[in-house]
């Protein structure tokens, strides 16, 4: 393994970990106030585009760091939208 492969481990660990921290936080507080679905959508699109651009389709660093993170971000976006909908419904007095 050369130094470029080793450097590739950094985003493969940091990107999904950062996204997972946001997912865990949302699950704990069950409120997406201040969390932007649009920003996380941009991050997900960026990760998918970067995965295609790098052409390292079968390297685990790319698969976890970019594809895995993008999948986590899609889940995170769904959570944000779910909690925002619940908040709007509770403010409007609609049952969940």
């Amino acid at each position: 393994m050369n130094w470029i492969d080793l450097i590739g481990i950094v985003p493969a660990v940091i990107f999904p970990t950062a996204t997972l921290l946001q997912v865990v936080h949302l699950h704990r507080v069950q409120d997406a106030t201040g969390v932007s679905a649009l920003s996380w959508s941009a991050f997900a699109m960026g990760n998918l585009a970067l995965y295609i651009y790098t052409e390292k389709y079968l390297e685990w660093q790319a698969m976890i760091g970019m594809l895995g993170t993008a999948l986590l971000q899609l889940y995170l976006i769904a959570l944000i939208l779910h909690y925002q909908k619940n908040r709007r419904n509770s403010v409007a007095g609609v049952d969940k």
Side-chain angles (χ1 to χ4, degrees):
M1 186 175 282
N2 62 35
W3 71 278
I4 293 293
D5 293 328
L6 290 172
I7 294 296
I9 293 172
V10 175
V13 172
I14 291 176
F15 291 164
T17 300
T19 304
L20 195 56
L21 288 170
Q22 184 70 68
V23 168
V24 169
H25 175 74
L26 282 181
H27 274 293
R28 284 187 182 156
V29 300
Q30 296 187 354
D31 184 13
T33 301
V35 184
S36 171
L38 186 58
S39 291
W40 283 103
S41 298
F43 289 135
M45 288 186 339
N47 275 310
L48 289 173
L50 190 58
Y51 177 74
I52 293 166
Y53 175 73
T54 60
E55 296 183 1
K56 296 187 176 195
Y57 306 118
L58 299 178
E59 291 191 18
W60 71 267
Q61 296 97 326
M63 290 169 55
I64 293 172
M66 292 176 249
L67 271 187
T69 301
L71 290 174
L72 272 173
Q73 289 164 338
L74 291 175
Y75 176 67
L76 177 59
I77 294 161
L79 269 181
I80 293 167
L81 296 176
H82 171 74
Y83 289 134
Q84 287 176 346
K85 179 182 176 187
N86 284 350
R87 183 171 172 81
R88 280 191 305 272
N89 288 342
S90 68
V91 168
V94 178
D95 290 331
K96 291 182 183 179

